mmCIF file of all heavy atoms in Angstrom:
data_model
loop_
_atom_site.group_PDB
_atom_site.id
_atom_site.type_symbol
_atom_site.label_atom_id
_atom_site.label_comp_id
_atom_site.label_asym_id
_atom_site.label_seq_id
_atom_site.Cartn_x
_atom_site.Cartn_y
_atom_site.Cartn_z
ATOM 1 N N PRO A 21 0.802 19.756 8.050
ATOM 2 C CA PRO A 21 1.885 20.652 8.491
ATOM 3 C C PRO A 21 2.131 21.799 7.501
ATOM 4 O O PRO A 21 2.627 22.860 7.875
ATOM 5 C CB PRO A 21 3.107 19.733 8.560
ATOM 6 C CG PRO A 21 2.560 18.366 8.684
ATOM 7 C CD PRO A 21 1.231 18.361 7.996
ATOM 8 N N ARG A 22 1.776 21.582 6.235
ATOM 9 C CA ARG A 22 2.034 22.609 5.231
ATOM 10 C C ARG A 22 0.900 23.603 5.118
ATOM 11 O O ARG A 22 1.005 24.576 4.387
ATOM 12 C CB ARG A 22 2.268 21.955 3.867
ATOM 13 C CG ARG A 22 3.438 21.003 3.831
ATOM 14 C CD ARG A 22 3.439 20.216 2.550
ATOM 15 N NE ARG A 22 3.364 21.087 1.388
ATOM 16 C CZ ARG A 22 2.625 20.858 0.323
ATOM 17 N NH1 ARG A 22 1.874 19.785 0.271
ATOM 18 N NH2 ARG A 22 2.624 21.687 -0.674
ATOM 19 N N LEU A 25 -5.327 21.408 3.513
ATOM 20 C CA LEU A 25 -5.432 20.680 2.257
ATOM 21 C C LEU A 25 -6.915 20.676 1.873
ATOM 22 O O LEU A 25 -7.750 20.149 2.601
ATOM 23 C CB LEU A 25 -4.913 19.257 2.430
ATOM 24 C CG LEU A 25 -4.829 18.377 1.189
ATOM 25 C CD1 LEU A 25 -3.651 17.420 1.326
ATOM 26 C CD2 LEU A 25 -6.079 17.568 0.947
ATOM 27 N N ARG A 272 -3.602 3.597 -29.963
ATOM 28 C CA ARG A 272 -2.867 4.513 -29.087
ATOM 29 C C ARG A 272 -3.838 5.194 -28.119
ATOM 30 O O ARG A 272 -4.858 5.739 -28.530
ATOM 31 C CB ARG A 272 -2.166 5.571 -29.930
ATOM 32 C CG ARG A 272 -1.296 6.498 -29.110
ATOM 33 C CD ARG A 272 0.148 6.205 -29.336
ATOM 34 N NE ARG A 272 0.999 6.984 -28.446
ATOM 35 C CZ ARG A 272 2.112 6.475 -27.927
ATOM 36 N NH1 ARG A 272 2.457 5.233 -28.176
ATOM 37 N NH2 ARG A 272 2.879 7.211 -27.160
ATOM 38 N N LEU A 273 -3.521 5.141 -26.833
ATOM 39 C CA LEU A 273 -4.397 5.757 -25.850
ATOM 40 C C LEU A 273 -4.101 7.242 -25.750
ATOM 41 O O LEU A 273 -2.956 7.664 -25.895
ATOM 42 C CB LEU A 273 -4.192 5.098 -24.488
ATOM 43 C CG LEU A 273 -4.525 3.614 -24.447
ATOM 44 C CD1 LEU A 273 -4.065 3.020 -23.123
ATOM 45 C CD2 LEU A 273 -6.011 3.408 -24.626
ATOM 46 N N ARG A 274 -5.158 8.016 -25.503
ATOM 47 C CA ARG A 274 -4.941 9.460 -25.396
ATOM 48 C C ARG A 274 -4.846 9.827 -23.922
ATOM 49 O O ARG A 274 -5.839 10.117 -23.265
ATOM 50 C CB ARG A 274 -6.061 10.186 -26.117
ATOM 51 C CG ARG A 274 -5.954 9.899 -27.619
ATOM 52 C CD ARG A 274 -7.156 10.326 -28.369
ATOM 53 N NE ARG A 274 -7.326 11.771 -28.379
ATOM 54 C CZ ARG A 274 -8.334 12.359 -29.000
ATOM 55 N NH1 ARG A 274 -9.213 11.641 -29.661
ATOM 56 N NH2 ARG A 274 -8.453 13.662 -28.968
ATOM 57 N N ALA A 275 -3.646 9.779 -23.435
ATOM 58 C CA ALA A 275 -3.413 10.011 -22.014
ATOM 59 C C ALA A 275 -3.571 11.490 -21.676
ATOM 60 O O ALA A 275 -3.482 12.349 -22.541
ATOM 61 C CB ALA A 275 -2.008 9.544 -21.652
ATOM 62 N N ILE A 276 -3.827 11.767 -20.404
ATOM 63 C CA ILE A 276 -3.864 13.149 -19.936
ATOM 64 C C ILE A 276 -2.472 13.462 -19.403
ATOM 65 O O ILE A 276 -1.948 12.744 -18.553
ATOM 66 C CB ILE A 276 -4.900 13.326 -18.812
ATOM 67 C CG1 ILE A 276 -6.258 12.779 -19.250
ATOM 68 C CG2 ILE A 276 -4.994 14.785 -18.415
ATOM 69 C CD1 ILE A 276 -7.307 12.797 -18.157
ATOM 70 N N ALA A 277 -1.878 14.519 -19.904
ATOM 71 C CA ALA A 277 -0.524 14.873 -19.468
ATOM 72 C C ALA A 277 -0.535 15.297 -18.005
ATOM 73 O O ALA A 277 -1.556 15.727 -17.473
ATOM 74 C CB ALA A 277 0.016 15.995 -20.341
ATOM 75 N N GLY A 278 0.636 15.197 -17.381
ATOM 76 C CA GLY A 278 0.799 15.718 -16.032
ATOM 77 C C GLY A 278 0.026 14.926 -14.996
ATOM 78 O O GLY A 278 -0.363 13.786 -15.225
ATOM 79 N N ARG A 279 -0.150 15.549 -13.831
ATOM 80 C CA ARG A 279 -0.889 14.869 -12.781
ATOM 81 C C ARG A 279 -1.670 15.894 -11.965
ATOM 82 O O ARG A 279 -1.443 17.093 -12.097
ATOM 83 C CB ARG A 279 0.054 14.071 -11.914
ATOM 84 C CG ARG A 279 1.155 14.882 -11.287
ATOM 85 C CD ARG A 279 1.822 14.028 -10.233
ATOM 86 N NE ARG A 279 3.174 14.444 -9.961
ATOM 87 C CZ ARG A 279 3.659 14.479 -8.724
ATOM 88 N NH1 ARG A 279 2.914 14.171 -7.711
ATOM 89 N NH2 ARG A 279 4.914 14.849 -8.537
ATOM 90 N N ASP A 282 -1.308 19.914 -6.530
ATOM 91 C CA ASP A 282 -1.076 19.879 -5.094
ATOM 92 C C ASP A 282 -2.255 20.573 -4.419
ATOM 93 O O ASP A 282 -2.559 21.729 -4.697
ATOM 94 C CB ASP A 282 0.232 20.643 -4.831
ATOM 95 C CG ASP A 282 0.504 20.783 -3.357
ATOM 96 O OD1 ASP A 282 -0.132 20.078 -2.566
ATOM 97 O OD2 ASP A 282 1.366 21.614 -3.009
ATOM 98 N N VAL A 284 -2.723 21.543 -1.415
ATOM 99 C CA VAL A 284 -2.457 22.588 -0.423
ATOM 100 C C VAL A 284 -2.246 23.921 -1.139
ATOM 101 O O VAL A 284 -2.665 24.971 -0.664
ATOM 102 C CB VAL A 284 -1.234 22.213 0.440
ATOM 103 C CG1 VAL A 284 -0.904 23.343 1.401
ATOM 104 C CG2 VAL A 284 -1.517 20.926 1.202
ATOM 105 N N LEU A 285 -1.600 23.857 -2.297
ATOM 106 C CA LEU A 285 -1.368 25.068 -3.083
ATOM 107 C C LEU A 285 -1.929 24.865 -4.487
ATOM 108 O O LEU A 285 -1.180 24.711 -5.446
ATOM 109 C CB LEU A 285 0.129 25.356 -3.184
ATOM 110 C CG LEU A 285 0.833 25.729 -1.885
ATOM 111 C CD1 LEU A 285 2.340 25.556 -2.018
ATOM 112 C CD2 LEU A 285 0.495 27.160 -1.506
ATOM 113 N N ASP A 297 -5.661 20.829 -22.753
ATOM 114 C CA ASP A 297 -5.230 21.229 -24.098
ATOM 115 C C ASP A 297 -5.837 22.565 -24.515
ATOM 116 O O ASP A 297 -5.286 23.273 -25.349
ATOM 117 C CB ASP A 297 -5.667 20.176 -25.133
ATOM 118 C CG ASP A 297 -4.992 18.847 -24.893
ATOM 119 O OD1 ASP A 297 -3.932 18.852 -24.239
ATOM 120 O OD2 ASP A 297 -5.533 17.821 -25.343
ATOM 121 N N PHE C 4 9.053 10.713 -26.552
ATOM 122 C CA PHE C 4 7.729 11.212 -26.230
ATOM 123 C C PHE C 4 7.413 12.544 -26.872
ATOM 124 O O PHE C 4 6.490 13.228 -26.482
ATOM 125 C CB PHE C 4 7.571 11.338 -24.716
ATOM 126 C CG PHE C 4 7.412 10.008 -24.089
ATOM 127 C CD1 PHE C 4 8.516 9.275 -23.726
ATOM 128 C CD2 PHE C 4 6.153 9.458 -23.931
ATOM 129 C CE1 PHE C 4 8.358 8.022 -23.177
ATOM 130 C CE2 PHE C 4 6.000 8.205 -23.393
ATOM 131 C CZ PHE C 4 7.104 7.491 -23.011
ATOM 132 N N ASP C 7 3.946 12.827 -27.763
ATOM 133 C CA ASP C 7 2.997 12.232 -26.843
ATOM 134 C C ASP C 7 2.652 13.208 -25.725
ATOM 135 O O ASP C 7 3.509 13.609 -24.954
ATOM 136 C CB ASP C 7 3.634 10.968 -26.244
ATOM 137 C CG ASP C 7 2.627 10.178 -25.427
ATOM 138 O OD1 ASP C 7 1.549 10.732 -25.130
ATOM 139 O OD2 ASP C 7 2.922 9.029 -25.100
ATOM 140 N N PRO C 8 1.392 13.581 -25.634
ATOM 141 C CA PRO C 8 1.028 14.510 -24.558
ATOM 142 C C PRO C 8 0.976 13.800 -23.208
ATOM 143 O O PRO C 8 0.732 14.420 -22.200
ATOM 144 C CB PRO C 8 -0.369 14.966 -24.971
ATOM 145 C CG PRO C 8 -0.932 13.811 -25.729
ATOM 146 C CD PRO C 8 0.235 13.165 -26.424
ATOM 147 N N GLY C 9 1.198 12.496 -23.226
ATOM 148 C CA GLY C 9 0.927 11.722 -22.026
ATOM 149 C C GLY C 9 2.035 11.685 -20.994
ATOM 150 O O GLY C 9 1.866 11.094 -19.956
ATOM 151 N N HIS C 10 3.171 12.263 -21.256
ATOM 152 C CA HIS C 10 4.200 12.120 -20.236
ATOM 153 C C HIS C 10 4.159 13.280 -19.254
ATOM 154 O O HIS C 10 3.753 14.382 -19.560
ATOM 155 C CB HIS C 10 5.582 11.981 -20.860
ATOM 156 C CG HIS C 10 6.087 13.251 -21.471
ATOM 157 N ND1 HIS C 10 5.690 13.678 -22.698
ATOM 158 C CD2 HIS C 10 6.929 14.178 -20.986
ATOM 159 C CE1 HIS C 10 6.285 14.826 -22.966
ATOM 160 N NE2 HIS C 10 7.032 15.147 -21.957
ATOM 161 N N GLU C 11 4.590 12.967 -18.073
ATOM 162 C CA GLU C 11 4.549 13.982 -17.037
ATOM 163 C C GLU C 11 5.725 14.924 -17.223
ATOM 164 O O GLU C 11 6.857 14.499 -17.367
ATOM 165 C CB GLU C 11 4.602 13.301 -15.670
ATOM 166 C CG GLU C 11 3.372 12.472 -15.448
ATOM 167 C CD GLU C 11 3.433 11.664 -14.164
ATOM 168 O OE1 GLU C 11 3.376 12.293 -13.106
ATOM 169 O OE2 GLU C 11 3.541 10.454 -14.240
ATOM 170 N N THR C 12 5.442 16.166 -17.257
ATOM 171 C CA THR C 12 6.486 17.122 -17.564
ATOM 172 C C THR C 12 7.317 17.433 -16.331
ATOM 173 O O THR C 12 6.922 17.174 -15.209
ATOM 174 C CB THR C 12 5.868 18.427 -18.068
ATOM 175 O OG1 THR C 12 4.943 18.867 -17.077
ATOM 176 C CG2 THR C 12 5.144 18.228 -19.372
ATOM 177 N N ALA C 15 5.576 19.590 -13.781
ATOM 178 C CA ALA C 15 4.624 18.919 -12.904
ATOM 179 C C ALA C 15 5.360 18.209 -11.780
ATOM 180 O O ALA C 15 4.887 18.107 -10.668
ATOM 181 C CB ALA C 15 3.803 17.907 -13.691
ATOM 182 N N MET C 16 6.566 17.739 -12.098
ATOM 183 C CA MET C 16 7.328 17.009 -11.115
ATOM 184 C C MET C 16 7.855 17.933 -10.025
ATOM 185 O O MET C 16 8.068 17.516 -8.906
ATOM 186 C CB MET C 16 8.500 16.360 -11.827
ATOM 187 C CG MET C 16 8.961 15.101 -11.231
ATOM 188 S SD MET C 16 9.650 14.088 -12.519
ATOM 189 C CE MET C 16 11.025 15.070 -12.997
ATOM 190 N N ALA C 18 6.413 20.219 -8.532
ATOM 191 C CA ALA C 18 5.463 20.546 -7.477
ATOM 192 C C ALA C 18 5.812 19.747 -6.227
ATOM 193 O O ALA C 18 6.033 18.555 -6.302
ATOM 194 C CB ALA C 18 4.046 20.189 -7.927
ATOM 195 N N PRO C 19 5.917 20.429 -5.086
ATOM 196 C CA PRO C 19 6.346 19.701 -3.897
ATOM 197 C C PRO C 19 5.267 18.718 -3.472
ATOM 198 O O PRO C 19 4.094 19.051 -3.429
ATOM 199 C CB PRO C 19 6.527 20.811 -2.862
ATOM 200 C CG PRO C 19 5.674 21.930 -3.332
ATOM 201 C CD PRO C 19 5.574 21.812 -4.820
ATOM 202 N N SER C 20 5.663 17.493 -3.211
ATOM 203 C CA SER C 20 4.701 16.538 -2.689
ATOM 204 C C SER C 20 4.636 16.755 -1.180
ATOM 205 O O SER C 20 5.556 17.309 -0.596
ATOM 206 C CB SER C 20 5.160 15.122 -3.007
ATOM 207 O OG SER C 20 6.259 14.791 -2.195
ATOM 208 N N PRO C 21 3.563 16.308 -0.553
ATOM 209 C CA PRO C 21 3.439 16.543 0.892
ATOM 210 C C PRO C 21 4.617 15.981 1.677
ATOM 211 O O PRO C 21 4.967 16.493 2.725
ATOM 212 C CB PRO C 21 2.149 15.787 1.245
ATOM 213 C CG PRO C 21 1.401 15.657 -0.021
ATOM 214 C CD PRO C 21 2.413 15.655 -1.123
ATOM 215 N N VAL C 24 7.951 18.349 2.501
ATOM 216 C CA VAL C 24 7.997 19.338 3.555
ATOM 217 C C VAL C 24 7.949 18.589 4.882
ATOM 218 O O VAL C 24 6.977 17.933 5.198
ATOM 219 C CB VAL C 24 6.809 20.295 3.450
ATOM 220 C CG1 VAL C 24 6.863 21.312 4.569
ATOM 221 C CG2 VAL C 24 6.847 20.986 2.108
ATOM 222 N N ASP C 26 7.825 18.093 8.916
ATOM 223 C CA ASP C 26 7.414 18.863 10.075
ATOM 224 C C ASP C 26 8.614 18.991 11.006
ATOM 225 O O ASP C 26 9.522 18.173 11.023
ATOM 226 C CB ASP C 26 6.222 18.205 10.769
ATOM 227 C CG ASP C 26 6.512 16.790 11.202
ATOM 228 O OD1 ASP C 26 7.360 16.144 10.542
ATOM 229 O OD2 ASP C 26 5.945 16.353 12.196
#
Side-chain angles (χ1 to χ4, degrees):
Chain A
R22 300 169 53 222
L25 185 148
R272 184 107 186 143
L273 298 171
R274 293 168 67 180
I276 308 175
R279 57 168 156 139
D282 175 15
V284 176
L285 294 162
D297 296 338
Chain C
F4 286 87
D7 188 347
H10 71 280
E11 295 174 69
T12 55
M16 210 151 64
S20 72
V24 179
D26 58 332

